[in-house]
Amino acid sequence: MNNSRLVKISKYLSKHLRHTPERLGIEFSPGGWVAVDRLLAASSARNFPIELAELKEVVVKNDKQRFSFDSTGTLIRANQGHSITVDLQLEPAVPPDVLYHGTGKGAVESILKSGICKMSRHHVHLSANIETAQKVGARHGLPVVFTIAAEAMHDRGYTFYCSENGVWLVEYVPPEYLKLT
């Protein structure tokens, strides 16, 4: 499959598995899962046919690993980034000492004042390495990376989760745990 088709399918899946499943007429089962055959049928019925082989390629090749199949390969979900209510059934996890958050330069002043808020998503997304945070930040203009004192936050009762694709999630990062990298 060419890269253009790969990107198009990935964006389509992101839209419907993270934000507007009702537009496809699909509902999530516990964990945010949807039956692969149901997703493919719904997409086809909405004039966006996706072959099973294409879907598998998108899941494997997506650079951010946004999607995953269950162990049977019959269910698919978005790993995080939902703007709708969904319980991904993630278990609390102990984070590393530090994590990173990438953003655009224009957000720095607000973040230093108010911390990092989840905005319309379920969680704040954090990276385990600076390089990934820089890539995320570049989507918002000139990239800026914050170092998060994750261990200190955890020690003070903040709950962290790690999604299947390695993105760390937390409800909020107060300013006192932030440092410009």
Side-chain angles (χ1 to χ4, degrees):
M1 169 174 28
N2 68 42
N3 194 52
S4 174
R5 176 74 175 155
L6 187 79
V7 169
K8 195 172 193 175
I9 293 172
S10 178
K11 288 183 177 187
Y12 185 85
L13 293 174
S14 287
K15 178 179 182 179
H16 293 96
L17 294 180
R18 294 166 71 181
H19 309 296
T20 59
E22 73 282 354
R23 292 181 83 187
L24 278 183
I26 57 175
E27 293 182 17
F28 299 137
S29 61
W33 300 102
V34 63
V36 168
D37 57 353
R38 176 74 179 110
L39 173 67
L40 296 177
S43 298
S44 185
R46 302 315 184 279
N47 297 313
F48 193 86
I50 303 170
E51 298 294 325
L52 179 59
E54 291 177 314
L55 185 66
K56 288 179 179 179
E57 189 172 344
V58 167
V59 171
V60 169
K61 289 187 175 178
N62 184 269
D63 61 340
K64 296 181 182 157
Q65 295 295 291
R66 286 189 174 108
F67 317 104
S68 59
F69 290 114
D70 74 335
S71 60
T72 68
T74 61
L75 301 174
I76 189 171
R77 74 173 177 188
N79 288 320
Q80 84 279 325
H82 300 79
S83 61
I84 58 169
T85 302
V86 60
D87 177 7
L88 294 177
Q89 299 178 323
L90 298 173
E91 295 293 325
V94 177
D97 295 349
V98 297
L99 290 167
Y100 304 93
H101 181 78
T103 191
K105 185 178 180 180
V108 170
E109 187 176 325
S110 173
I111 288 173
L112 287 172
K113 180 179 178 182
S114 303
I116 305 172
C117 302
K118 62 183 178 176
M119 309 305 277
S120 64
R121 295 189 177 186
H122 289 256
H123 297 96
V124 172
H125 294 194
L126 304 173
S127 305
N129 61 65
I130 292 173
E131 296 77 21
T132 301
Q134 286 174 328
K135 287 179 187 175
V136 171
R139 295 188 339 220
H140 304 283
L142 184 63
V144 174
V145 175
F146 284 94
T147 299
I148 314 300
E151 180 181 43
M153 285 181 63
H154 182 264
D155 290 348
R156 287 173 185 83
Y158 288 86
T159 303
F160 286 81
Y161 305 92
C162 188
S163 68
E164 194 165 323
N165 61 348
V167 174
W168 284 89
L169 308 169
V170 67
E171 289 281 321
Y172 169 66
V173 180
E176 61 267 26
Y177 297 101
L178 297 168
K179 180 178 83 172
L180 276 169
T181 304

